[in-house]
Amino acid sequence: MDDPRETRLIPTRDGVARVPRSQQGTPLKDYFQNAELPDNLEQAQVFQSANGPVVATPDPVPWQEVHDKEAQGYADKIKNQIDEKGYYSKTLSAYADRLSDQTGYPKDEMKAMIASKFNEAFEKDPFDYLQQVRAEQGLPTRERDNTPSRDHDPEM
């Protein structure tokens, strides 16, 4: 039986490819030089298995204290932006993209991580804080939209 801490099991059309977690993959763009690849394969890498090369995304790096500090820094910047400019959504998305690129974790998870850090530091999530700031300024506020949507960030 394979130890999942040491061996990665990657499903393929021919079965399962076993790749040591210690193996460094080759970026797909380097493996297929001079080929134009779709954006969704940007982080894909080629790993060598006993049955030949296999394409997969790299394992995310283990979450580290430096990532916590980075997420907190982004939360602080979002608060400052809300205070100064009165919005945050696109900035949160951009920061989540950066953190996702650094760690390999999905963007949605990184948005949640930054919002969680914001909540820990300021005792409100970014949306509620924005609504509070708008109310204090006498500007219109709105209710939270609880409709699940991947493309919608609640913001004024």
Side-chain angles (χ1 to χ4, degrees), residues 88-90 92-93 111 142 149-155:
Y88 71 91
S89 181
K90 290 181 179 152
L92 175 59
S93 188
K111 274 186 176 182
R142 69 179 193 196
S149 171
R150 297 185 66 90
D151 298 323
H152 176 72
D153 287 321
E155 179 176 350

Side-chain angles (χ1 to χ4, degrees), residues 36-149:
E36 191 171 325
L37 299 170
D39 291 340
N40 63 340
L41 294 176
E42 189 174 293
Q43 293 197 9
Q45 294 186 350
V46 178
F47 296 92
Q48 298 300 323
S49 72
N51 296 334
V54 63
V55 176
T57 57
D59 277 343
V61 296
W63 193 259
Q64 301 170 7
E65 185 177 333
V66 69
H67 300 133
D68 269 337
K69 288 180 182 177
E70 195 79 20
Q72 184 61 57
Y74 290 146
D76 294 340
K77 289 178 182 179
I78 287 170
K79 181 189 180 295
N80 290 338
Q81 183 172 339
I82 290 172
D83 291 341
E84 293 173 11
K85 299 181 180 177
Y87 62 89
Y88 71 91
S89 181
K90 290 181 179 152
T91 304
L92 175 59
S93 188
Y95 291 156
D97 276 339
R98 289 182 197 164
L99 202 52
S100 177
D101 288 345
Q102 290 174 341
T103 63
Y105 290 90
K107 178 182 173 180
D108 288 341
E109 285 184 41
M110 296 301 93
K111 274 186 176 182
M113 179 60 72
I114 294 168
S116 172
K117 293 294 181 185
F118 190 100
N119 196 14
E120 286 175 20
F122 309 111
E123 298 180 354
K124 290 187 184 309
D125 69 18
F127 180 82
D128 290 339
Y129 183 75
L130 174 63
Q131 297 311 305
Q132 175 187 329
V133 168
R134 290 182 65 78
E136 289 170 358
Q137 295 172 346
L139 298 171
T141 62
R142 69 179 193 196
E143 295 295 315
R144 185 181 300 267
D145 180 9
N146 290 326
T147 306
S149 171

